[in-house]
């Protein structure tokens, strides 16, 4: 039978993705999945820049990241940006996109129309606003947990073997 020829280990599925941990010449720098881990300060700075400059800030910080902290900080900033977009759309429902009037005032309708405001646009949809908020929160939480996971992995690797017994 198959089990007699190849043994019981052949029935287990092989790991398709293993976390690569490499230590280079500098003892302070540990490469996890090809990138250094980075500090909490780098995470926070990239998150603030990505949030402050919105989509352009995200593109800059993500394309120029050099550590896990920078990468996950820019992703966290993108999540905050999406949540801000969702909150902005939710608080401005019923207003025109460029309308400076008070909430509830609608711009005049098209000529010859009945004066009703068309609320079928994506920027005037509560479901779209909530979707942006949920997606943003998901991106933010995933980025924070990914950074925490890499920091824990770094701590485990750098700890002395006597403490792990």
């Amino acid at each position: 039978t198959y089990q007699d020829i190849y043994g019981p280990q052949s029935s287990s599925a092989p790991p398709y993705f293993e976390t690569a941990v490499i230590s280079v010449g500098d003892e302070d720098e540990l490469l996890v999945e090809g990138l250094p881990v980075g500090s909490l300060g780098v995470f926070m700075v990239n998150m603030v820049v990505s949030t402050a400059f919105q989509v352009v800030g995200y593109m800059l910080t993500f394309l120029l990241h050099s550590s896990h902290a920078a990468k996950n900080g820019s992703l966290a900033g993108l999540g905050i940006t999406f949540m801000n977009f969702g909150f902005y759309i939710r608080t401005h429902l019923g207003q025109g996109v460029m309308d400076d009037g008070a909430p509830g005032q609608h711009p005049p309708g098209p000529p010859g129309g009945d004066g009703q405001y068309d609320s079928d646009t994506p920027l005037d949809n509560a479901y779209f606003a909530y979707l942006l908020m949920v997606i943003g929160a998901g991106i933010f939480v995933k980025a924070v947990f990914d950074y925490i996971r890499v920091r824990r992995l770094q701590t485990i690797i750098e700890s002395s073997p006597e403490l792990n017994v």
Side-chain angles (χ1 to χ4, degrees):
T1 66
Y2 182 82
Q3 292 293 332
D4 293 337
I5 296 171
Y6 295 107
Q9 282 82 16
S10 64
S11 63
S12 64
Y16 292 103
F17 181 78
E18 292 184 16
T19 303
V21 178
I22 301 168
S23 179
V24 292
D26 188 12
E27 291 183 17
D28 293 336
E29 190 170 309
L30 180 71
L31 298 181
V32 177
E33 297 172 359
L35 287 173
V37 175
S39 66
L40 183 63
V42 172
F43 179 87
M44 296 301 290
V45 165
N46 276 278
M47 184 177 67
V48 168
V49 169
S50 180
T51 303
F53 296 106
Q54 296 180 343
V55 176
V56 174
Y58 164 72
M59 289 190 308
L60 284 173
T61 56
F62 190 80
L63 291 176
L64 298 175
H65 74 268
S66 60
S67 67
H68 283 284
K71 178 180 75 168
N72 291 320
S74 64
L75 282 171
L78 179 69
I80 293 172
T81 299
F82 279 174
M83 288 189 284
N84 284 339
F85 286 160
F87 282 121
Y88 179 81
I89 291 170
R90 180 68 183 109
T91 57
H92 290 83
L93 286 175
Q95 295 180 5
V97 176
M98 302 302 282
D99 186 20
D100 291 332
Q105 290 182 346
H106 301 298
D114 57 358
Q116 294 295 321
Y117 179 68
D118 182 24
S119 64
D120 292 336
T121 62
L123 294 179
D124 199 26
N125 190 343
Y127 295 118
F128 182 67
Y130 290 129
L131 179 69
L132 277 177
M133 287 187 258
V134 167
I135 289 173
I139 292 172
F140 178 78
V141 168
K142 182 186 181 315
V144 169
F145 282 136
D146 280 350
Y147 179 64
I148 290 172
R149 178 187 60 86
V150 171
R151 288 293 282 187
R152 283 185 182 165
L153 186 61
Q154 178 191 22
T155 305
I156 289 170
I157 292 170
E158 290 177 347
S159 66
S160 64
E162 295 85 30
L163 297 176
N164 293 334
V165 175

